[in-house]
Structures are given as C-alpha cells and as structure tokens.
Amino acid sequence: MSFILSKLGWIVLQPANILLAVVVLLALFGRMGRRTRWVVRALAIALAVVAFTPLSSWLLRPLDERFPRPSEAQVAAAPGVIVLGGSVSLGMSLNRPGIALNSTAERYSETIRLAHAHPEKTVAFSGGTGSLSNQAVKEGPFARVLFSESGIAPDRLVIESDARTTSESPDLLAAMLPETARREGWLLVTSAWHMPRSVGVFEAAGWRVVPYPVDYRTQPAGGWNPGLMSGLSDLTMAVHEWVGLLAYRAMGRTDEFFPGP
C-alpha cells in the first residue's frame, strides 16, 4: 500500500502538476476580465494537452525512427566511428568533481562499446561548445579523457573541439582525417532524434556516412510517458529539431528538408 501511495502522492505533489492545477483552477474560478479568462483557459488547455496526450511523442517519433541501426556487416566494414558531442554538461564538469554527462550520454557509452568490439577502428569526436557566453570551455578535452580512461588507445582518437553547431562538424573533421574519409562510410553516432539533421549536413558536405542512432526518446509501439515536465521536455526537443531541419534547409546546409535513408 505504501508503494501505491508514494507513487500517487508524487503525482499530486510534482511542482509541474501543481502548476497545472493552479492554472486550471484560475481558468475555472478565478476573477478576471473576459479576455484574460480566455487566455488563461487557452493556456490551461495547452498545458493539459502537453501533459496528458502523446503530442510530443507524435512529433519525436518520426525523427527517432527515420534511420534504422546498420547491420553487423555494415558496422564491420566501416573504417571508423564519428561521434557528435553535446553529452557533457560543460559548466557542471568545470565546477564540480568528475565529468558530468547529460541525458544524451548514450552517444559516449555506445561509441565506447563499438570501439572495444572493433579495436581496429578510429574514433573521431566532434564537439566544441554551443555557449554564447563562454567559448573557452569545450567538450573535446572532456571527450578525450572519457575515451582514454575507458581503455581506447590515444593513437586511435581524433578529437575535434571547435565545432559550435552540427553543421560545422563535417568540414572540421575532414580537415583532421585522411582525404579519403568522406567516401569511406564511417559510422555516424548521435541521438536518433538528431540523426536526420546530422546525416543531412554530412551528406551535403560530401560525406558518405552510415547512421548509427542511439538515445531513442520514444517507444516504437506508440507508448508515451504522461506528465507536464516530460511532455514539455520532449516537445522542446522535437520543436528544436524540426525548426533546425527547416533552418538548415533554408540556409542550404542540407539538400532536403527531412533527410532519410
């Protein structure tokens, strides 16, 4: 019984759910002008849709499922692995002990697994910082430490630390790898929801890559996790990627709006 009560109690006491309840109560019973009431009601409905419908999953799932995992033969044939950054919390890692990884840490863990399963492959990392206020702290040095301490020999590592956006990675990496690398079909490791945009910019830059998606955020059978915080998080991620795809196509950084296999 205590288990059930603890789970139900947390649903009620979650700050996000309390906020939603307050907005709903204001919309129903609060004293306010007619226009203000309609605005509050619209906000309450929007928050309820995000919290209690699979809207965010509907937007994320096409991104998650755009590229399948490659076959073992494709993995074996690839001369190396390219992994994109974005998985280290730079401020936290700089100011706290250890290296703090965020929710996309599977980019690192799966790359390390691939590196140990295929010790002949080069591991190339690309990622600087996307911060507007601090360009001095970059992810590359942290990546080198993580990979080296996981047992990957230093001579297998290529660390690129200047890319500020996904679109900058292809050319910066090409400058550090053999001239033939663009044509060789390297594995490209990044989050599944980030893969369409990543493949698009690499292909537009003349690369032939083999997508290796990780860090899935949606259930393949259509399941989803209700809740305002999870819904807002997934919705933010989905909107960011769809807007990014549109922006990259408009700027000519990809050859099509929704790159696919």
Side-chain angles (χ1 to χ4, degrees), residues 10 13 17 33 38 44 81 89 98 103 116 128 137 171 218 222 234 243 250 260:
W10 177 237
L13 294 175
N17 290 344
W38 279 111
V81 181
S89 298
S103 61
H116 286 298
V137 182
D171 289 338
T218 60
D234 287 350
V243 170

Side-chain angles (χ1 to χ4, degrees), residues 20-36:
L20 176 57
V22 169
V23 173
V24 171
L25 290 173
L26 281 174
L28 294 175
F29 305 112
R31 291 186 177 183
M32 61 191 75
R34 182 178 179 183
R35 291 183 179 178
T36 304

Side-chain angles (χ1 to χ4, degrees), residues 138-252:
K138 301 182 179 182
E139 188 171 349
F142 293 106
R144 186 182 296 278
V145 171
L146 284 169
F147 289 135
S148 297
E149 291 187 350
S150 73
I152 301 174
D155 60 0
R156 295 177 60 195
L157 295 174
V158 175
I159 305 295
E160 185 284 302
S161 299
D162 292 324
R164 299 165 297 177
T165 65
T166 305
S167 64
E168 293 180 350
S169 291
D171 289 338
L172 290 173
L173 273 176
M176 301 178 69
L177 294 170
E179 293 183 5
T180 57
R182 292 183 193 255
R183 305 187 298 273
E184 292 177 335
W186 285 52
L187 297 175
L188 179 61
V189 176
T190 190
S191 301
W193 44 268
H194 182 237
M195 189 62 77
R197 188 154 57 99
S198 302
V199 169
V201 296
F202 270 84
E203 290 183 343
W207 283 80
R208 184 176 70 84
V209 292
V210 178
Y212 193 102
V214 298
D215 181 34
Y216 293 89
R217 294 304 173 93
T218 60
Q219 298 292 332
W224 57 284
N225 295 318
L228 183 57
M229 288 303 296
S230 60
L232 284 174
S233 176
D234 287 350
L235 182 63
T236 299
M237 188 180 300
V239 171
H240 179 270
E241 281 306 305
W242 286 112
V243 170
L245 284 165
L246 181 62
Y248 273 26
R249 182 67 190 98
M251 291 185 290

